[in-house]
């Protein structure tokens, strides 16, 4: 048998690995759309675009499936106790990463591969993937800080706040949760229906 | 050429991972035997002698049950990038039952404010550090021996070795305590305060009729007197709150008329305030943030996507306007033209155009003669 911490480490590696692939491909698609002549137009060729699009959605879906497993196993590894700001922020960054990745996947599925033909939508998808990756790496780097006392982010210029946490009152969190659910209902039911973009 | 460069970069990155070693961030303060019980750091294939110098300062004579200080100074070590140093205080080096408490000692305070025999500390840039353990001597009188050991990393450390140094045994002769000697209660240990807490520090004593306390910030030379109140053998010393990284040291003098004993300097152990978050709050907050981000991004996607009925792409009016070109300037519509013509009784079949000042044949009543 193995402990929850070992299982969590394995799941986190699956999530980060597949998300990294998804991010690289999504950002590649966005760059190819915005700057079609980059790399002599090879990046924006149909073959490369189709490959990157499929890799990004596959990576994001795989990561999204494994993310709840990683989060739950991490929670068990910490004995379901949050006793410091780092651990609290790990939860918060995981939630944010989930929101960004879910938005990326839903956007790609609803709008279809034609999403990369629109500059503004393409830029939005690329930025969403980049932000999602930032949140994912923050959550995983906090894991490194907790277990080994160090992280690759120590040598990176980017390090989002993690040593101190903004702990919301659970009632306020519950209200925000309801607001989030209501906002999603409005977006899906009452808002304009996003349609699949037909390919040229 | 480019692919070859890429392959070389990838290989270089893979080799760079070998610079990482197990537990480079240390394992934290703990109660440990010699070389962690003969594990990794005791293996000759995984360790090497340290180039540091370790000296121990301890009073060779102690009275049983009284407080005494052990000062360990380590200097001149080659350290790893994080400058972490692990220091053991031991009573034997057999690999088990090496903890001083296994030999009757009672650690009142370790250098980090806890009660451990192994502590980790970041060595300052000067390369020298002095650590002090305050212990109660064993109640059983006799000869005791104390050892210290250090271990650390190095930079570079291509073999991933642990570097360790070990001191000779320092002998302490524990004598029976004189009758009525004032001191700390056997079961007393300094309490840990939360940052910002200025509640009185509790000191418990035995054979003591009066207590005085002096305190100073670490690095200061002149101590300050603290106000002390008593409740039997329990004394309350008013020490200032610890803020930030500052460390407050205090020294207790226990007296009873016959003796006056100046105890070793202690440190006010401070820990951060207890974290007030809990797991379900964290889960709920995370999910709420995630859903809000989703709602925002999905509405942004809908706003930017070409959905049916979107005002920006309904160009019907513009197209219709483009299909009917505007009349050239000066060209009037037929209705306007005929409405301005005035019929005349004198000239039946003719209409007068006041703008052009000419007669126009009335199409509804053509003039006689077909003119």
């Amino acid at each position: 048998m193995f402990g929850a911490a070992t299982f969590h480490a394995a799941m986190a590696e699956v999530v980060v690995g597949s998300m990294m692939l998804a991010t690289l491909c999504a950002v590649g698609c966005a760059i190819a759309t915005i700057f079609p002549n980059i790399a002599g137009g090879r990046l924006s060729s149909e073959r490369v675009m189709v490959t990157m699009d499929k890799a990004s959605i596959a990576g994001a879906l795989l990561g999204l499936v494994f993310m709840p497993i990683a989060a739950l196993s991490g929670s068990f590894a910490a004995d379901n106790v949050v006793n410091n700001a780092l651990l609290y922020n790990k939860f918060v960054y995981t939630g944010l990463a989930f929101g960004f990745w879910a938005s990326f996947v839903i956007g790609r599925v609803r709008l279809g591969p034609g999403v990369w033909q629109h500059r503004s939508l393409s830029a939005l998808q690329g930025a969403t993937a980049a932000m999602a990756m930032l949140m994912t790496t923050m959550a995983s780097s906090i894991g490194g800080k907790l277990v080994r006392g160090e992280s690759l982010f120590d040598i990176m210029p980017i390090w989002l706040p993690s040593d101190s946490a903004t702990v919301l009152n659970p009632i306020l969190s519950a209200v925000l949760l309801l607001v989030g659910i209501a906002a999603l209902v409005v977006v899906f039911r009452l808002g304009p229906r996003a349609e699949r973009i037909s390919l040229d | 050429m480019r692919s070859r460069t890429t392959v070389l970069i990838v290989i270089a990155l893979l080799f760079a991972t070998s610079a990482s070693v197990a537990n480079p961030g240390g394992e934290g303060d703990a109660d440990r035997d010699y070389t962690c019980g003969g594990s990794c750091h005791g293996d000759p294939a995984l360790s090497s002698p340290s180039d540091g110098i370790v000296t121990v300062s301890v009073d060779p004579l102690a009275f049983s049950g009284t407080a005494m200080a052990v000062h360990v100074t380590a200097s001149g070590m080659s350290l790893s990038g994080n400058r972490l140093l692990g220091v053991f205080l031991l009573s034997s080096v057999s690999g088990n039952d090496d903890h001083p408490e296994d030999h009757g000692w009672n650690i009142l305070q370790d250098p980090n404010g806890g009660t451990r025999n192994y502590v980790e500390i970041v060595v300052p840039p000067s390369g020298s550090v002095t650590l002090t353990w305050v212990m109660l001597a064993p109640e059983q009188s006799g000869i005791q021996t104390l050892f210290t050991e250090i271990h650390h990393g190095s930079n570079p450390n291509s073999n991933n070795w642990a570097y360790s140094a070990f001191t000779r045994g320092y002998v302490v002769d524990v004598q029976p305590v004189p009758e009525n000697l004032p001191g700390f209660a056997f079961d007393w240990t300094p309490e840990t305060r939360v940052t910002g807490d200025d509640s009185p520090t509790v000191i418990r004593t035995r054979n003591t009729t009066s207590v005085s306390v002096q305190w100073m910030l670490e690095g200061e030379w002149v101590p300050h007197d603290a106000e002390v109140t008593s409740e039997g053998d329990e004394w309350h010393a008013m020490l200032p709150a610890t803020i930030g990284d500052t460390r407050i040291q205090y020294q207790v003098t226990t007296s009873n008329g016959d003796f006056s004993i100046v105890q070793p300097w202690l440190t006010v152990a401070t820990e951060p305030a207890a974290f007030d978050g809990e797991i379900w709050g964290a889960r709920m907050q995370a999910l709420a943030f995630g859903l809000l981000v989703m709602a925002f991004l999905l509405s942004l996607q809908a706003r930017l996507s070409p959905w049916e009925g979107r005002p920006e792409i309904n160009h019907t009016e513009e197209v219709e306007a483009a299909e009917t070109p505007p009349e050239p300037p000066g060209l009037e519509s037929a209705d306007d033209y005929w409405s301005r013509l005035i019929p005349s009784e004198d000239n039946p079949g003719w209409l007068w155009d006041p703008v052009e000042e000419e007669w126009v044949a009335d199409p509804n009543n053509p003039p006689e003669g077909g003119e």
Side-chain angles (χ1 to χ4, degrees), chain B residues 295-308:
Chain B
F296 173 73
L297 285 174
L298 293 182
S299 58
L300 206 56
Q301 286 168 4
R303 178 72 183 80
L304 295 174
S305 68
W307 47 275
E308 194 178 340

PDB file of all heavy atoms in Angstrom, chain B residues 295-308:
ATOM      1  N   ALA B 295     -17.935  32.058 -14.484  1.00  0.00           N
ATOM      2  CA  ALA B 295     -19.053  32.897 -14.946  1.00  0.00           C
ATOM      3  C   ALA B 295     -18.535  34.099 -15.713  1.00  0.00           C
ATOM      4  O   ALA B 295     -19.058  34.449 -16.792  1.00  0.00           O
ATOM      5  CB  ALA B 295     -19.879  33.353 -13.744  1.00  0.00           C
ATOM      6  N   PHE B 296     -17.486  34.712 -15.222  1.00  0.00           N
ATOM      7  CA  PHE B 296     -16.924  35.892 -15.891  1.00  0.00           C
ATOM      8  C   PHE B 296     -16.373  35.517 -17.274  1.00  0.00           C
ATOM      9  O   PHE B 296     -16.677  36.169 -18.278  1.00  0.00           O
ATOM     10  CB  PHE B 296     -15.834  36.505 -15.015  1.00  0.00           C
ATOM     11  CG  PHE B 296     -15.090  37.615 -15.680  1.00  0.00           C
ATOM     12  CD1 PHE B 296     -15.689  38.857 -15.880  1.00  0.00           C
ATOM     13  CD2 PHE B 296     -13.790  37.431 -16.126  1.00  0.00           C
ATOM     14  CE1 PHE B 296     -14.998  39.873 -16.505  1.00  0.00           C
ATOM     15  CE2 PHE B 296     -13.089  38.451 -16.751  1.00  0.00           C
ATOM     16  CZ  PHE B 296     -13.700  39.675 -16.947  1.00  0.00           C
ATOM     17  N   LEU B 297     -15.583  34.448 -17.319  1.00  0.00           N
ATOM     18  CA  LEU B 297     -14.939  34.094 -18.592  1.00  0.00           C
ATOM     19  C   LEU B 297     -15.952  33.588 -19.616  1.00  0.00           C
ATOM     20  O   LEU B 297     -15.842  33.892 -20.803  1.00  0.00           O
ATOM     21  CB  LEU B 297     -13.861  33.035 -18.345  1.00  0.00           C
ATOM     22  CG  LEU B 297     -12.588  33.568 -17.689  1.00  0.00           C
ATOM     23  CD1 LEU B 297     -11.640  32.433 -17.341  1.00  0.00           C
ATOM     24  CD2 LEU B 297     -11.881  34.560 -18.594  1.00  0.00           C
ATOM     25  N   LEU B 298     -16.963  32.827 -19.154  1.00  0.00           N
ATOM     26  CA  LEU B 298     -17.958  32.321 -20.105  1.00  0.00           C
ATOM     27  C   LEU B 298     -18.799  33.463 -20.670  1.00  0.00           C
ATOM     28  O   LEU B 298     -19.159  33.456 -21.851  1.00  0.00           O
ATOM     29  CB  LEU B 298     -18.851  31.279 -19.429  1.00  0.00           C
ATOM     30  CG  LEU B 298     -18.149  29.972 -19.039  1.00  0.00           C
ATOM     31  CD1 LEU B 298     -19.122  28.996 -18.416  1.00  0.00           C
ATOM     32  CD2 LEU B 298     -17.498  29.341 -20.257  1.00  0.00           C
ATOM     33  N   SER B 299     -19.110  34.451 -19.840  1.00  0.00           N
ATOM     34  CA  SER B 299     -19.869  35.593 -20.369  1.00  0.00           C
ATOM     35  C   SER B 299     -19.009  36.396 -21.336  1.00  0.00           C
ATOM     36  O   SER B 299     -19.495  36.918 -22.339  1.00  0.00           O
ATOM     37  CB  SER B 299     -20.380  36.473 -19.222  1.00  0.00           C
ATOM     38  OG  SER B 299     -19.291  36.923 -18.460  1.00  0.00           O
ATOM     39  N   LEU B 300     -17.702  36.445 -21.056  1.00  0.00           N
ATOM     40  CA  LEU B 300     -16.791  37.146 -21.971  1.00  0.00           C
ATOM     41  C   LEU B 300     -16.710  36.403 -23.309  1.00  0.00           C
ATOM     42  O   LEU B 300     -16.714  37.024 -24.383  1.00  0.00           O
ATOM     43  CB  LEU B 300     -15.401  37.220 -21.325  1.00  0.00           C
ATOM     44  CG  LEU B 300     -14.485  38.362 -21.755  1.00  0.00           C
ATOM     45  CD1 LEU B 300     -15.137  39.702 -21.546  1.00  0.00           C
ATOM     46  CD2 LEU B 300     -13.175  38.299 -20.977  1.00  0.00           C
ATOM     47  N   GLN B 301     -16.670  35.072 -23.227  1.00  0.00           N
ATOM     48  CA  GLN B 301     -16.652  34.287 -24.470  1.00  0.00           C
ATOM     49  C   GLN B 301     -17.914  34.538 -25.293  1.00  0.00           C
ATOM     50  O   GLN B 301     -17.858  34.729 -26.508  1.00  0.00           O
ATOM     51  CB  GLN B 301     -16.559  32.792 -24.142  1.00  0.00           C
ATOM     52  CG  GLN B 301     -15.195  32.333 -23.673  1.00  0.00           C
ATOM     53  CD  GLN B 301     -15.244  30.925 -23.102  1.00  0.00           C
ATOM     54  OE1 GLN B 301     -16.291  30.260 -23.120  1.00  0.00           O
ATOM     55  NE2 GLN B 301     -14.120  30.482 -22.559  1.00  0.00           N
ATOM     56  N   ALA B 302     -19.076  34.541 -24.597  1.00  0.00           N
ATOM     57  CA  ALA B 302     -20.338  34.771 -25.298  1.00  0.00           C
ATOM     58  C   ALA B 302     -20.372  36.164 -25.913  1.00  0.00           C
ATOM     59  O   ALA B 302     -20.876  36.373 -27.016  1.00  0.00           O
ATOM     60  CB  ALA B 302     -21.503  34.588 -24.343  1.00  0.00           C
ATOM     61  N   ARG B 303     -19.827  37.127 -25.187  1.00  0.00           N
ATOM     62  CA  ARG B 303     -19.816  38.504 -25.681  1.00  0.00           C
ATOM     63  C   ARG B 303     -18.965  38.637 -26.941  1.00  0.00           C
ATOM     64  O   ARG B 303     -19.303  39.367 -27.861  1.00  0.00           O
ATOM     65  CB  ARG B 303     -19.278  39.421 -24.573  1.00  0.00           C
ATOM     66  CG  ARG B 303     -19.157  40.878 -24.939  1.00  0.00           C
ATOM     67  CD  ARG B 303     -20.534  41.521 -25.035  1.00  0.00           C
ATOM     68  NE  ARG B 303     -20.455  42.914 -25.455  1.00  0.00           N
ATOM     69  CZ  ARG B 303     -20.305  43.309 -26.704  1.00  0.00           C
ATOM     70  NH1 ARG B 303     -20.212  42.413 -27.664  1.00  0.00           N
ATOM     71  NH2 ARG B 303     -20.248  44.605 -27.016  1.00  0.00           N
ATOM     72  N   LEU B 304     -17.862  37.913 -26.982  1.00  0.00           N
ATOM     73  CA  LEU B 304     -16.944  38.041 -28.115  1.00  0.00           C
ATOM     74  C   LEU B 304     -17.311  37.125 -29.278  1.00  0.00           C
ATOM     75  O   LEU B 304     -16.852  37.324 -30.396  1.00  0.00           O
ATOM     76  CB  LEU B 304     -15.510  37.718 -27.669  1.00  0.00           C
ATOM     77  CG  LEU B 304     -14.894  38.668 -26.651  1.00  0.00           C
ATOM     78  CD1 LEU B 304     -13.543  38.154 -26.187  1.00  0.00           C
ATOM     79  CD2 LEU B 304     -14.734  40.062 -27.239  1.00  0.00           C
ATOM     80  N   SER B 305     -18.140  36.097 -29.018  1.00  0.00           N
ATOM     81  CA  SER B 305     -18.438  35.135 -30.085  1.00  0.00           C
ATOM     82  C   SER B 305     -19.575  35.647 -30.954  1.00  0.00           C
ATOM     83  O   SER B 305     -20.402  36.451 -30.514  1.00  0.00           O
ATOM     84  CB  SER B 305     -18.817  33.788 -29.466  1.00  0.00           C
ATOM     85  OG  SER B 305     -20.051  33.913 -28.804  1.00  0.00           O
ATOM     86  N   PRO B 306     -19.658  35.176 -32.188  1.00  0.00           N
ATOM     87  CA  PRO B 306     -20.708  35.643 -33.113  1.00  0.00           C
ATOM     88  C   PRO B 306     -22.026  34.929 -32.882  1.00  0.00           C
ATOM     89  O   PRO B 306     -22.381  34.031 -33.616  1.00  0.00           O
ATOM     90  CB  PRO B 306     -20.118  35.328 -34.476  1.00  0.00           C
ATOM     91  CG  PRO B 306     -19.228  34.168 -34.248  1.00  0.00           C
ATOM     92  CD  PRO B 306     -18.720  34.267 -32.860  1.00  0.00           C
ATOM     93  N   TRP B 307     -22.800  35.320 -31.869  1.00  0.00           N
ATOM     94  CA  TRP B 307     -24.085  34.667 -31.598  1.00  0.00           C
ATOM     95  C   TRP B 307     -25.201  35.336 -32.383  1.00  0.00           C
ATOM     96  O   TRP B 307     -25.119  36.499 -32.756  1.00  0.00           O
ATOM     97  CB  TRP B 307     -24.402  34.640 -30.110  1.00  0.00           C
ATOM     98  CG  TRP B 307     -24.212  35.940 -29.383  1.00  0.00           C
ATOM     99  CD1 TRP B 307     -23.047  36.402 -28.868  1.00  0.00           C
ATOM    100  CD2 TRP B 307     -25.178  36.940 -29.117  1.00  0.00           C
ATOM    101  NE1 TRP B 307     -23.230  37.619 -28.294  1.00  0.00           N
ATOM    102  CE2 TRP B 307     -24.538  37.977 -28.430  1.00  0.00           C
ATOM    103  CE3 TRP B 307     -26.548  37.063 -29.388  1.00  0.00           C
ATOM    104  CZ2 TRP B 307     -25.212  39.126 -28.010  1.00  0.00           C
ATOM    105  CZ3 TRP B 307     -27.214  38.199 -28.960  1.00  0.00           C
ATOM    106  CH2 TRP B 307     -26.539  39.213 -28.291  1.00  0.00           C
ATOM    107  N   GLU B 308     -26.250  34.573 -32.588  1.00  0.00           N
ATOM    108  CA  GLU B 308     -27.386  35.048 -33.392  1.00  0.00           C
ATOM    109  C   GLU B 308     -28.074  36.222 -32.695  1.00  0.00           C
ATOM    110  O   GLU B 308     -28.368  36.164 -31.518  1.00  0.00           O
ATOM    111  CB  GLU B 308     -28.389  33.909 -33.586  1.00  0.00           C
ATOM    112  CG  GLU B 308     -29.395  34.192 -34.657  1.00  0.00           C
ATOM    113  CD  GLU B 308     -30.342  33.024 -34.841  1.00  0.00           C
ATOM    114  OE1 GLU B 308     -29.989  31.911 -34.422  1.00  0.00           O
ATOM    115  OE2 GLU B 308     -31.419  33.242 -35.387  1.00  0.00           O
TER     116      GLU B 308
END
